[in-house]
Amino acid sequence: GMFKDIDLSKDIMNSFQLQQQKRASSSSVSGGVEMHVFILTTGSWPAYNQTVDANVFALPPELATNQKEFENFYYSKYEGRRLKWQHSLGHCLVRAELKSTGRRELQISLFQAMVLLLFHEKQERVDPISLTYSEIKARTGIEAEELRRTLQSLACGKVRVLSKEPKGRDVADNDKFSVNTEFKSKAYRIKINSIQMKETAKENKDTHEKIFQDRQYQIDAAVVRIMKARKTLSHNLLVSELFKQLKFPAKPQDLKKRIESLIDREYLERDEQNTSIYKYLA
């Protein structure tokens, strides 16, 4: 399932980029922003917790335009599907002109890029841009703890492209951030690592429960799809067919539970003479 998603994503992106090249008004062409999207099928990949609130999350205009254009393209090709953006998995390659060290490429996360773009100066300023944690949070909409980790990675880690006042690793609401004018690097491409959040036992349990729930729906759909086509099938043949169709490993006992659930909900029934044979109920 994973390899199929990767191959399909490449084909989708090739088609999208070809369409963008034909449109003179495309931001991907005129705005200098090139976007690549990986389409991951729910159930084939780990479940990811959302770290952004869609109501307040504010992508930079250049990225928001690209995202909307891709959504329009994708929905025109795949009617009935739904995209759920996982912004915490996004990463960027940003070309930057740094006064202290010249032109460099920054290999960073989407959240890091959103923060740094707030300090982008289109013209010379007498005073460099200075923003507090609270101001950055208001302008990006990044979740509080996620933003604190992002700012720590940019101002308190090994590669410090931002300066923080007052000094220290903890980030308070009124701490101020600005471009580090003393930053130096001999490398042309600079990778700034994100600070990973440690998963608690409860979060780990919640993640596994969410994965199991997502897979339950996929098992149910596969059983109904197979039985609708075959009408009557033995338990062993149904399980064998499920193993062929499901994109993730499943235990026979889990499949049996889902079949029993569908019988209780009157999607299927057992044959009166042979209880190991199932019949589809239209």
Side-chain angles (χ1 to χ4, degrees):
M2 289 183 171
F3 292 116
K4 184 178 179 182
D5 280 351
I6 291 171
D7 290 338
L8 184 58
S9 292
K10 289 178 181 177
D11 293 338
I12 292 172
M13 284 310 303
N14 286 336
S15 298
F16 174 65
Q17 289 168 351
L18 187 63
Q19 174 182 287
Q20 294 297 80
Q21 289 168 8
K22 294 178 181 178
R23 296 173 56 187
S25 61
S26 166
S27 61
S28 295
V29 175
S30 61
V33 177
E34 187 175 330
M35 183 177 72
H36 294 270
V37 181
F38 286 98
I39 311 297
L40 313 180
T41 305
T42 302
S44 297
W45 298 78
Y48 298 100
N49 293 325
Q50 285 284 9
T51 56
V52 299
D53 182 346
N55 295 319
V56 296
F57 187 66
L59 276 175
E62 306 92 331
L63 300 180
T65 299
N66 276 264
Q67 178 176 298
K68 187 62 178 178
E69 288 180 354
F70 181 81
E71 286 180 344
N72 293 337
F73 166 81
Y74 186 80
Y75 292 143
S76 70
K77 296 284 185 182
Y78 301 97
E79 188 177 351
R81 293 190 184 180
R82 185 171 66 91
L83 291 174
K84 186 176 181 181
W85 293 92
Q86 298 289 347
H87 292 106
S88 61
L89 303 181
H91 57 272
C92 305
L93 185 63
V94 178
R95 293 184 180 91
E97 189 74 43
L98 303 172
K99 294 177 182 178
S100 59
T101 197
R103 181 170 295 178
R104 293 291 187 269
E105 286 186 350
L106 305 179
Q107 194 172 341
I108 53 184
S109 73
L110 173 60
F111 294 153
Q112 290 172 329
M114 289 175 63
V115 170
L116 290 181
L117 283 174
L118 297 179
F119 297 91
H120 175 53
E121 299 179 26
K122 296 183 179 179
Q123 57 188 11
E124 292 293 328
R125 291 169 53 102
V126 176
D127 298 319
I129 297 173
S130 177
L131 298 169
T132 65
Y133 162 84
S134 296
E135 290 171 331
I136 294 171
K137 186 176 185 299
R139 290 175 63 176
T140 62
I142 299 173
E143 186 270 333
E145 291 308 311
E146 185 73 60
L147 180 57
R148 293 186 198 280
R149 289 192 297 273
T150 300
L151 288 168
Q152 285 174 338
S153 70
L154 295 170
C156 308
K158 186 177 180 181
V159 181
R160 302 185 180 187
V161 291
L162 294 182
S163 294
K164 172 182 173 294
E165 290 294 339
K167 304 292 184 183
R169 187 164 182 80
D170 293 335
V171 177
D173 291 357
N174 294 321
D175 285 357
K176 290 187 176 182
F177 297 85
S178 58
V179 173
N180 181 6
T181 56
E182 298 179 0
F183 172 74
K184 299 282 186 183
S185 176
K186 293 181 179 179
Y188 178 72
R189 179 172 292 185
I190 305 164
K191 179 176 175 59
I192 305 178
N193 293 320
S194 300
I195 296 175
Q196 299 300 320
M197 176 178 61
K198 292 183 179 180
E199 190 175 50
T200 64
K202 181 181 183 302
E203 288 170 337
N204 183 271
K205 182 182 177 182
D206 291 344
T207 297
H208 280 83
E209 287 180 355
K210 187 175 180 182
I211 293 172
F212 181 68
Q213 189 177 51
D214 288 342
R215 290 181 172 179
Q216 280 185 330
Y217 298 143
Q218 292 195 52
I219 293 171
D220 289 359
V223 171
V224 171
R225 186 167 58 247
I226 293 167
M227 291 303 300
K228 188 175 182 179
R230 303 288 286 274
K231 304 303 182 187
T232 302
L233 210 57
S234 70
H235 175 80
N236 289 339
L237 286 176
L238 175 56
V239 169
S240 177
E241 192 64 31
L242 285 169
F243 281 136
K244 292 178 185 177
Q245 292 197 20
L246 294 174
K247 299 177 181 178
F248 51 85
K251 297 178 182 178
Q253 56 265 39
D254 290 334
L255 299 182
K256 185 176 180 181
K257 288 179 182 177
R258 300 318 306 158
I259 293 169
E260 293 290 347
S261 174
L262 289 169
I263 291 174
D264 292 340
R265 288 179 282 159
E266 299 184 348
Y267 284 92
L268 311 176
E269 68 176 1
R270 295 183 185 276
D271 184 84
E272 292 182 359
Q273 272 71 46
N274 188 344
T275 56
S276 67
I277 293 178
Y278 304 118
K279 293 181 180 180
Y280 176 70
L281 298 175

